[in-house]
Amino acid sequence: MDNRLAKAFVGIIELRDEYTSTHSKNVAKYSLQLGKKLYLNETTLNNLRFAALLHDIGKVAVPDAILHKKTNLTEDEFIKIKNHSIIGANIVKEANFNRTIIVGIRHHHEFFNGEGYPDGLRGKCIPLISRIIAAADAFDAMISKRPYREAFSSKRAIKELKNCAGSQFDPKIIDAFIKLFKDNKLEI
Ligand SMILES: [Fe+2]
């Protein structure tokens, strides 16, 4: 895997959309803290870092009018947004990133209960890296101010994650998140 290529992709995300760029870096920051708390080895942490940084690279293929739309999305627009996980996986596959990173990106919107996308995978069938990114992704989205709502406090965001443990998120990963937060070790 090529570090410079990853950097170039991060640069493309930056050019395209500032929110996605900042968000991707934050997701990588939280994902790594979770990965370390879960005692993942160096190789897995490295794969996690790249997959987290590039998890939304597929959004480069989503038109601005949809990506930045402030009103409700039509069904067709929602399908186009949802395709970003498959497109992202295909982009890094073409660039010869390893399989862990490819599937990590493809499945970052799966739900622990099987109700996510693109493949409706359930529980531990969802790659570990994707389960970590999913929790980090939701946390950063909640604590960020969006055009349509104020930012949540970290405490409230952690509570929301807890409410969705077992349905949207892997409970073990949420436990690790809560521990980091309660021990004041979560670097925001
Ligand atoms: Fe995404």
Side-chain angles (χ1 to χ4, degrees), residues 114-163:
E115 289 177 12
Y117 63 85
D119 299 315
L121 298 187
R122 181 193 296 257
K124 289 193 173 154
C125 291
I126 304 165
L128 175 63
I129 280 182
S130 310
R131 281 179 269 141
I132 294 174
I133 293 172
D137 188 6
F139 180 75
D140 185 63
M142 285 191 278
I143 65 164
S144 304
K145 186 174 169 0
R146 303 298 289 139
Y148 44 87
R149 63 152 172 80
E150 287 303 310
F152 287 15
S153 67
S154 328
K155 193 177 173 186
R156 179 168 173 208
I158 292 284
K159 202 174 157 210
E160 297 287 339
L161 290 178
K162 201 175 166 187
N163 288 341

Side-chain angles (χ1 to χ4, degrees), residues 3 18 35-36 38 41 57 75 78 83 93 122 139 152-153 156 167 172:
N3 234 316
E18 204 194 313
K36 285 176 189 161
L38 295 162
N41 63 39
I57 181 106
E75 200 177 322
F78 194 47
N83 272 339
K93 187 177 180 190
R122 181 193 296 257
F139 180 75
F152 287 15
S153 67
R156 179 168 173 208
S167 52
K172 279 196 178 152

